[in-house]
Amino acid sequence: MLIRNVEVEGYAPTDVRIGADGRISEIGRRLAGESQVDGGGGALLPGLHDHHVHLMALAADASSVHVGPADVRTPAGFAQALRSGPPGEWVRAVGYHESVAGDLDRSVLDAIVADRPVRVQHRSGAMWFLNTPALRAAGLDGDGRLWREDERLRQLIPPVRLDLAALGRRAARLGVTGFTNADPRPAPGLRRTLSVLPQRLTVMGVDSPVKVMLDDATLPTPGELATLVREVRPRPVAVHCVTRVQLLVTLLAVQEAGPVAGDRVEHGAVIPAETVPWIRRLGLTVVTQPHFPVERGRQYAAEVPPDDHPLYRCRSLAEAGIPLAAGTDAPYGTDDPWAVMRAAVGREDGEGVTPEAALGLFLGAPDRPARARRLSAGAPADLCLLHVPLREALHVLSADTVRAVYVGGRRIAP
């Protein structure tokens, strides 16, 4: 196949030939070929890669009631949302934050809905709240607050309908040709389940890196974490860090165990300025979510101590020479990488980046997220063809500019 008249970095308007092996075989002017696509002068980019996403939860999101601050604003609205399902059927609600209706537990949910099983997930993804019918159906007891119990709940609660094919189609329309699934304990057979997606797939834990989940309440000592890191070597680790203490323990542990290429800090929500040189010395990549301070600014301003700001650093890390990439963290954030890019550019806390840098957050290779892929002979033909030249695309940073998407030379969208 031949894609004609496209803008490719490092070339004048050019043609790109894709071989039968799904790789770029040639880039040049006036190439001969029978099967052709006229690029119309639009930019041809490497396909976007979402470096941190939770695909099964994202698929389940489509079958869920949304009760986050952007969806319901009052306790009455929250109650109405939970009562929207048919009596007797499970209600799965997601995105909850205390700013909507305060703290939840079994008794609070029972007072709202008592005729059907209800489970509500906190916006962080770390906590589920179950009412009494849900606890009874699952054979559980207690106050209905389940912390980091997803693996257990999968065995006890009826599964929701998952349309992974639709997820893949939507992501393709957004220009996404690859995912890194970031579940801390992937379910058995997850890679096989996700194989219906047309995108390239990296599953943390099955593939490298190995995800390490940290919570302040169960935080290991630096020595204990260093032991865990040594056990998975030579594979790199991707350590979940959303608090100051989690980051400090991680840096001490990686320093003790010895860093390897591909080690990552996931999120990096709180990165004190004095730790930035340390992160650089260890060679760690930070895979962040620059959109969260934009999506959740009001809550962060009220809940996070001023000393921990700015949250989800972007510009300051890049300027310090720290390898940087981004993931949507969907469904806990938007699943649209272009929206993330716009947020990264529009930050008002001094952490905004250029449109070029924002795009680059999603152009890295799965195993080297901060190393931008380039279109060259021999490279996989995982491509995002735009309607417009790059300069115009950078001005709007919108999925509306996506014209066609290819994985291994095969068109997957539109």
Side-chain angles (χ1 to χ4, degrees):
M1 183 179 72
L2 194 62
I3 303 178
R4 287 199 176 279
N5 188 25
V6 289
E7 180 188 43
V8 174
E9 183 180 8
Y11 295 86
T14 192
D15 304 336
V16 177
R17 188 191 309 282
I18 300 172
D21 61 354
R23 294 180 175 272
I24 296 171
S25 60
E26 191 177 3
I27 300 177
R29 289 293 293 159
R30 298 182 178 85
L31 300 179
E34 296 181 0
S35 178
Q36 301 181 9
V37 173
D38 183 1
L44 186 65
L45 308 174
L48 307 183
H49 189 96
D50 190 336
H51 295 286
H52 185 116
V53 63
H54 302 274
L55 291 167
M56 295 296 282
L58 179 56
D61 187 75
S63 300
S64 302
V65 178
H66 294 88
V67 293
D71 306 293
V72 294
R73 300 186 180 277
T74 64
F78 175 62
Q80 182 179 1
L82 294 187
R83 293 171 183 151
S84 61
E89 292 190 8
W90 277 83
V91 175
R92 183 186 194 272
V94 296
Y96 184 78
H97 184 267
E98 294 79 6
S99 61
V100 172
D103 292 332
L104 298 183
D105 60 17
R106 172 183 194 161
S107 61
V108 172
L109 291 177
D110 284 350
I112 299 172
V113 180
D115 65 347
R116 74 204 75 180
V118 172
R119 55 172 169 147
V120 180
Q121 188 181 45
H122 191 268
R123 182 177 67 183
S124 65
M127 179 83 81
W128 283 99
F129 309 96
L130 276 65
N131 70 350
T132 295
L135 288 167
R136 287 175 177 165
L140 299 172
D141 203 350
D143 66 0
R145 297 163 60 92
L146 283 76
W147 175 263
R148 299 288 185 204
E149 292 278 11
D150 289 66
E151 191 172 7
R152 183 183 180 197
L153 286 175
R154 279 198 294 264
Q155 310 301 319
L156 301 174
I157 290 178
V160 297
R161 178 181 175 273
L162 302 180
D163 191 343
L164 288 167
L167 186 160
R169 289 193 298 270
R170 170 172 165 76
R173 291 193 297 270
L174 295 172
V176 176
T177 60
F179 295 112
T180 294
N181 190 77
D183 297 347
R185 289 175 292 277
L190 179 60
R191 171 172 283 283
R192 183 174 62 254
T193 301
L194 296 174
S195 65
V196 300
L197 297 171
Q199 287 81 8
R200 308 265 185 190
L201 184 64
T202 297
V203 177
M204 285 189 184
V206 178
D207 309 304
S208 291
V210 175
K211 178 76 175 286
V212 178
M213 192 75 197
L214 297 183
D215 290 307
D216 284 0
T218 57
L219 197 65
T221 67
E224 291 168 341
L225 183 56
T227 297
L228 187 154
V229 171
R230 290 191 196 97
E231 288 174 353
V232 304
R233 293 302 195 218
R235 301 170 76 188
V237 292
V239 187
H240 168 102
C241 293
V242 296
T243 66
R244 179 183 296 253
V245 66
Q246 290 170 16
L247 178 67
L248 294 175
V249 167
T250 296
L251 298 182
L252 288 166
V254 172
Q255 181 172 278
E256 180 179 336
V260 301
D263 281 342
R264 298 164 45 155
V265 169
E266 300 300 305
H267 308 301
V270 178
I271 297 181
E274 60 270 21
T275 66
V276 171
W278 192 1
I279 295 171
R280 181 179 180 181
R281 286 196 304 271
L282 292 173
L284 301 178
T285 295
V286 175
V287 177
T288 188
Q289 285 73 49
H291 53 306
F292 279 179
V294 177
E295 292 182 356
R296 308 175 179 182
R298 184 177 301 176
Q299 284 79 34
Y300 285 160
E303 298 171 4
V304 180
D307 288 349
D308 284 343
H309 290 263
L311 299 172
Y312 296 91
R313 290 178 180 268
C314 203
R315 179 179 179 178
S316 58
L317 296 183
E319 290 180 343
I322 291 174
L324 187 67
T328 62
D329 200 24
Y332 311 115
T334 178
D335 65 341
D336 181 355
W338 299 94
V340 177
M341 296 178 214
R342 293 194 298 273
V345 172
R347 294 273 294 263
E348 298 180 348
D349 54 2
E351 291 296 325
V353 299
T354 66
E356 293 85 352
L359 175 61
L361 296 173
F362 290 94
L363 294 185
D367 59 341
R368 292 291 187 273
R371 182 181 297 172
R373 288 164 289 139
R374 307 294 182 195
L375 301 190
S376 60
D382 299 345
L383 308 171
C384 179
L385 175 61
L386 305 184
H387 288 289
V388 297
L390 182 59
R391 182 176 180 179
E392 185 175 338
L394 291 173
H395 180 70
V396 296
L397 291 175
S398 170
D400 291 341
T401 62
V402 175
R403 173 180 170 182
V405 181
Y406 304 83
V407 172
R410 181 175 65 88
R411 189 166 180 163
I412 63 170

